[in-house]
Amino acid sequence: MSTPFVEDQNYKGADFHENPLPKGEYDNCTFTNCNFKNSDLTNISFTATTFRDCDFSMASIINSSFSEVEFYNCKLLGLLFNECNSFLMSFYFNNCILNFSSFHKLKLIKIKFEDCNLEQVDFSECNLSMGDFGGSNLTNTIFENTNLQEADFSTASNFNIDPERNNLKKAKFSTEGALLLLNKYKITIE
């Protein structure tokens, strides 16, 4: 039984929790205002696909593929991206909520999180070199043995990054943000 190949389709207002998205490959598709909450998206492939105003909270994405995928204004609570197929994985996130999600051990060079809420996200052991966290909230986000070379945190907020446990070579920070790198030392700066 072959899986369907779907190309250049637009989906609007679909509820994939009630009516599951068929397993297959979705190329150059657009999903707008769709509900994927608690959906089973295992073994589905998305390439050059755009999601706008969609809810993916707690969806199962085991062995799913995301290549050149863009998310705008989406809710992606508790997603385990580290369980996806990492081959050719690439994302762009704009104004999304990704709280409690995990990217553990993934290689996501040049990833962009613009104006996103990334509270308690696990980026441990990731390669996020040249990543952009512009305008994003990183409260309680985990950076542990993470490659952040040349990453841009200049307009990010609320991060707690230990420079001794992460690679920050050539990373960009604002003056205020650079002071956050000293949090672990519990010093007072006036």
Side-chain angles (χ1 to χ4, degrees):
M1 186 164 129
S2 65
T3 57
F5 179 80
V6 180
E7 189 174 25
D8 302 323
Q9 292 296 308
N10 293 318
Y11 299 87
K12 291 186 180 179
D15 187 341
F16 295 113
H17 177 69
E18 294 295 323
N19 300 302
L21 184 68
K23 305 285 185 206
E25 297 179 39
Y26 294 83
D27 188 12
N28 200 37
C29 294
T30 302
F31 294 84
T32 306
N33 198 31
C34 293
N35 180 24
F36 294 92
K37 189 174 183 178
N38 295 310
S39 294
D40 180 6
L41 301 175
T42 58
N43 299 308
I44 296 178
S45 177
F46 299 101
T47 304
T49 294
T50 302
F51 297 95
R52 295 184 183 279
D53 303 302
C54 295
D55 186 352
F56 283 86
S57 298
M58 302 304 294
S60 177
I61 53 176
I62 296 169
N63 205 38
S64 294
S65 297
F66 293 92
S67 181
E68 298 177 38
V69 174
E70 298 180 354
F71 294 92
Y72 297 89
N73 306 310
C74 290
K75 193 173 182 180
L76 303 119
L77 296 174
L79 291 189
L80 302 177
F81 291 99
N82 54 306
E83 294 183 345
C84 292
N85 180 344
S86 62
F87 184 69
L88 297 177
M89 180 183 278
S90 60
F91 298 105
Y92 169 76
F93 297 97
N94 183 283
N95 200 36
C96 293
I97 302 171
L98 292 112
N99 300 349
F100 310 105
S101 293
S102 178
F103 292 88
H104 180 68
K105 290 189 174 183
L106 292 177
K107 183 178 180 180
L108 297 167
I109 296 170
K110 295 185 179 180
I111 190 167
K112 288 191 178 192
F113 296 97
E114 292 183 357
D115 300 313
C116 291
N117 204 14
L118 299 162
E119 292 185 38
Q120 298 187 40
V121 172
D122 183 2
F123 287 119
S124 59
E125 301 183 49
C126 284
N127 183 346
L128 303 174
S129 56
M130 295 180 274
D132 185 349
F133 294 85
S136 293
N137 173 21
L138 298 162
T139 301
N140 296 320
T141 294
I142 300 166
F143 293 102
E144 182 75 26
N145 298 318
T146 305
N147 183 349
L148 298 168
Q149 287 188 73
E150 298 183 54
D152 189 348
F153 292 93
S154 59
T155 58
S157 62
N158 303 316
F159 51 84
N160 188 5
I161 302 171
D162 185 343
E164 295 174 11
R165 300 181 71 91
N166 296 283
N167 184 344
L168 295 173
K169 187 175 182 180
K170 295 187 180 181
K172 297 175 191 167
F173 296 92
S174 66
T175 302
E176 297 82 21
L179 294 175
L180 291 174
L181 299 175
L182 302 174
N183 278 347
K184 81 176 231 172
Y185 301 109
K186 301 187 187 312
I187 60 176
T188 303
I189 299 171
E190 295 179 2

